[in-house]
Each structure stands twice: as structure tokens, then as C-alpha cells.
């Protein structure tokens, strides 16, 4: 798991290119070892697929956080479907206003819809 939050959040194309350039050789090594390098952050599925394409390694994946998707006004079930095989791990978390401010099932995450999407 490689978290990209706060000062490390890749907010623009240049910063995402730097992430891809940095992770590309690491992912090559990870691929040889049979492990995944998983991105966690506040990017949507489109940007994550662009990052995966730029890295070009099956070792690159996503640590999918359903609470973070809601926090950035995305539908976590739609994001899960769009990410598909990029999802390597799932963080079950709920949110009302800020990530993790609600117990699972007591926030805005539609857990049954996310479960169906992940299935």
C-alpha cells in the first residue's frame, strides 16, 4: 500500500507523471516477486486507469477505499465497477462529511451496492 494524501496527493498531470515514473521500476520489481503495489488516494477510476497505463505493469493496483470515493463525491459502486481488476484490496469505511467519521453502515456509502459491484 502506497498512500497518496496531503502533500503527496498527485493533483495534476505533471504530478501523476512523476508518480508513474517513480512507481514504474518499483512495479517491475514487484511483478518479478509476484506482489502488488497498491495506490490509495483521492483519484477517480479514469485517472487511476491512466496511471496504470502509464506504469504499464500488472503489479500496479488500487487499494479501493469506498469512504474516500464518497468523500470526493464519486459513487463508490460505479468506481468499483470501473476499476475492475485494478482493485487488489478493499478498505471498508463509511463517511458522512469526512472519511471515517461514521461507523460502517451509518454513513453515505451504499454498502449493498458496493458489495454487488465488487462481486
Amino acid at each position: 500500500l502506497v498512500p497518496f494524501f496531503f502533500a503527496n496527493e498527485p493533483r495534476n498531470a505533471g504530478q501523476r507523471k512523476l508518480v508513474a515514473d517513480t512507481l514504474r521500476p518499483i512495479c517491475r520489481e514487484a511483478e518479478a516477486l509476484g506482489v502488488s503495489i497498491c495506490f490509495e488516494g483521492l483519484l477517480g477510476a479514469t485517472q487511476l486507469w491512466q496511471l496504470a497505463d502509464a506504469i504499464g505493469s500488472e503489479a500496479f493496483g488500487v487499494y479501493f477505499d469506498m469512504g474516500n470515493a464518497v468523500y470526493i463525491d464519486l459513487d463508490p459502486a460505479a468506481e468499483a465497477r470501473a476499476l475492475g481488476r485494478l482493485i487488489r484490496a478493499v478498505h471498508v469505511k463509511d463517511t458522512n462529511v469526512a472519511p471515517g467519521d461514521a461507523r460502517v453502515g451509518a454513513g453515505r456509502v451504499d454498502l449493498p451496492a458496493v458489495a454487488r459491484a465488487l462481486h
Side-chain angles (χ1 to χ4, degrees):
L1 167 64
V2 184
F4 287 90
F5 295 107
F6 311 113
N8 293 320
E9 186 179 335
R11 297 174 191 266
N12 60 50
Q15 291 170 340
R16 289 189 293 276
K17 181 184 181 316
L18 179 60
V19 170
D21 292 346
T22 302
L23 289 182
R24 190 176 301 111
I26 295 167
C27 285
R28 274 192 226 116
E29 290 293 323
E31 198 169 327
L33 295 170
V35 297
S36 293
I37 302 297
C38 295
F39 180 102
E40 182 189 15
L42 301 177
L43 298 180
T46 299
Q47 293 169 319
L48 288 166
W49 272 106
Q50 290 168 350
L51 192 57
D53 290 342
I55 291 169
S57 171
E58 289 298 315
F60 178 78
V62 171
Y63 180 85
F64 179 68
D65 186 319
M66 57 189 73
N68 288 350
V70 169
Y71 175 67
I72 59 173
D73 295 322
L74 297 174
D75 174 354
E79 289 296 294
R81 284 190 297 276
L83 287 166
R85 66 179 172 81
L86 278 184
I87 296 175
R88 306 292 166 80
V90 177
H91 186 174
V92 178
K93 182 171 75 183
D94 215 332
T95 184
N96 279 312
V97 177
D101 69 353
R103 290 180 186 251
V104 173
R108 297 185 295 142
V109 174
D110 183 345
L111 293 170
V114 174
R116 285 190 301 274
L118 290 170
H119 182 69

